[in-house]
Amino acid sequence: MESEVASLSFARVLMEGIKEMVFVVRVDGVNSFTYDFLNNAVIERTSLVSASVGKNLKEVHSTSMTTFLTERYNEVVQTTQSISYEDSFYCNQNKLLYSKTVMTPFLDEKGICTHIVSLVKDITNEKIAKLESEGIRERLEESNARYRSLFDNNADAIFTVDFNGHITGGNSSGSILSGCAMKELAGKSFFDFVIAEDVERAKNYFHLSILGDNKDWRFSISNKSGKSIACLVKFIPISVKNNIPGFYMIVKDMTELDKISGLYEAGEENFRIIAENVHDVIILMDQDKQYLYMSPSCENIFGFRAEGIIGKKPFYNVHPEDTSVAEQAFNQAAKEGSTFQLQIRLLHKSRGWIWTEVSGMPVFGEDQKFNRMVMVARDISIQKEYESQLHHFAYFDSLTELPNRRYFQAYATEKLEQNDTSQRNLAILLIDIDDFKDINDQWGHEIGDAVIQEFGYRLHRCMVGENMAARLGGDEFIVLLTDAADKEKVSEVTDAIYRVTKEPINVQELSLYITISMGVALAPTEKTSISTIMKRADMAMYKAKQLEKNSFFVSPT
């Protein structure tokens, strides 16, 4: 009886007394996890309810969130060790909170993980204090000024927002779209400009973007005059000195496409009058993908006369590598009654293949059957170049021009998942420059940056085939080997790295010598994650430092 009372008291403490959120999941098998327990803090702050207990992740979360959580639970199961990570989420009061999660495995007598307990702590105040102390916003403004030309020359509205969704800057197109000067927008949440019925959806999209799901999203905003504008929105992470302080929010006004489609529905004659007076190319195709109409602007944009295109085979002017994408988008829009937007290469008479943005909207007849597709084509060659630069800023280290941590993890994960054979041939090398702080202290950070830059260049020269070198930050570098079937293959690369390291680094009449410590982790035969292999390489690197500087240590598999 006493043990029963004690058990009930303990359960009550978990439910009511612990302010942190407590989740207990049961491990049902590979990629299968079911909620066994949720305390009151979970139900008060998240979308989960009491009825969520007994349901698996797929039944209560979106696909993106299910994938995100499953990857972490799998890591705990595979390593049988606790893991922790920081995240952010919108609570039931629509406030963005930062959290730190610790996942701990429960093992049975055979050492098999049967349950996982997640303890989620609210670290919002600490996170905000850290962001402010590090001057993240100031660095973001500096970055905005540096790349101002990318904003001002882009026809689409571009805003910069922090992790709370607050606007920190933007281009002239953003001012035109919103009807507000940038000084009026600064510090305001972009959610304040989203129409009421789209706010929850926009918050969910923004949260998914924070987790790395950087897709195009469709929702409407309200400008200063109260006019509702249908937009296509994309969030691209900003990278400043290996930190991600915020996002570029690219907002495309979809009013023109929606209006043109509506005019066609109102009457084909009205459609032609409008189409013949716009700068973009208006295209009309039937259900068999036959060209019915091409606006006269086709000659200005693509060099071909409109009448010469009518009667050509479907998508004849689409790059062969993009044809299947165009056909799939057309078919899906026709089937679901949805709009689409693509960036594909179309043929120009004299310039060859040029990047073009194609937006499409299906039109249905009185019998509710699809019969026409209205499309708008726009030359985005210059914009594509700007977006490529933005992508480069997000995924490459500005000092060494090597890939950064984000790019490396995505590339390494792709290689790991290709097939079982390639997985067994993967290895990760974690490299740290010995006593690098002494260089900064003695010669200054400018000399230190030059050393980092030169070492990164030499490391890149050692890469062959699909191998990749990246900079994690500071004086830490990482290498992925894709052809490491045995230790001899790994030794070939490590020997090459040590050879180039022995050469002096000449900077401003100084001749500096450096040494490095290296940790090596070979991918095990059983399935694992890149994060797990990186942790093993990290532990091996510190083991090497403890044994002897300028050496490497191979983690046991």
Side-chain angles (χ1 to χ4, degrees), residues 21 45-46 65 68-69 72 85-92 94-101 120-124 127-128 131 162-165 191 203-212 244 247:
M21 293 185 285
R45 299 183 196 176
T46 75
M65 182 57 72
F68 176 79
L69 291 173
R72 277 146 187 80
Y85 64 91
E86 292 186 5
D87 194 9
S88 62
F89 67 97
Y90 281 94
C91 66
N92 288 341
N94 290 326
K95 181 181 178 182
L96 181 65
L97 301 178
Y98 292 92
S99 61
K100 182 175 182 179
T101 300
V120 182
K121 181 182 179 182
D122 184 350
I123 58 168
T124 303
K127 191 74 173 180
I128 291 174
L131 290 175
D162 62 18
F163 270 81
N164 290 307
F191 297 123
K203 287 182 177 179
N204 184 47
Y205 293 158
F206 184 57
H207 183 58
L208 291 174
S209 298
I210 290 175
L211 298 179
I244 305 295
F247 295 84

Side-chain angles (χ1 to χ4, degrees), residues 98-158:
Y98 292 92
S99 61
K100 182 175 182 179
T101 300
V102 178
M103 291 181 170
T104 304
F106 273 17
L107 309 180
D108 63 14
E109 62 277 4
K110 296 180 181 179
I112 297 174
C113 179
T114 61
H115 291 77
I116 298 173
V117 176
S118 296
L119 187 68
V120 182
K121 181 182 179 182
D122 184 350
I123 58 168
T124 303
N125 293 335
E126 297 95 315
K127 191 74 173 180
I128 291 174
K130 182 180 179 182
L131 290 175
E132 290 177 350
S133 66
E134 291 179 352
I136 292 293
R137 290 189 181 181
E138 287 76 7
R139 287 209 297 256
L140 179 57
E141 292 298 338
E142 177 185 345
S143 178
N144 291 340
R146 181 180 178 185
Y147 303 118
R148 178 59 57 187
S149 63
L150 291 175
F151 296 151
D152 292 340
N153 291 294
N154 202 307
D156 293 326
I158 301 180

Side-chain angles (χ1 to χ4, degrees), residues 310-350:
I310 307 302
K312 296 279 189 181
K313 68 177 183 178
F315 300 125
Y316 85 97
N317 57 336
V318 178
H319 192 284
E321 294 179 5
D322 299 334
T323 303
S324 61
V325 176
E327 288 182 338
Q328 182 180 355
F330 185 104
N331 293 337
Q332 184 173 349
K335 180 180 179 181
E336 300 178 357
S338 59
T339 60
F340 69 83
Q341 185 175 71
L342 301 172
Q343 292 186 357
I344 57 178
R345 288 157 291 185
L346 297 186
L347 186 63
H348 187 282
K349 187 174 183 179
S350 59

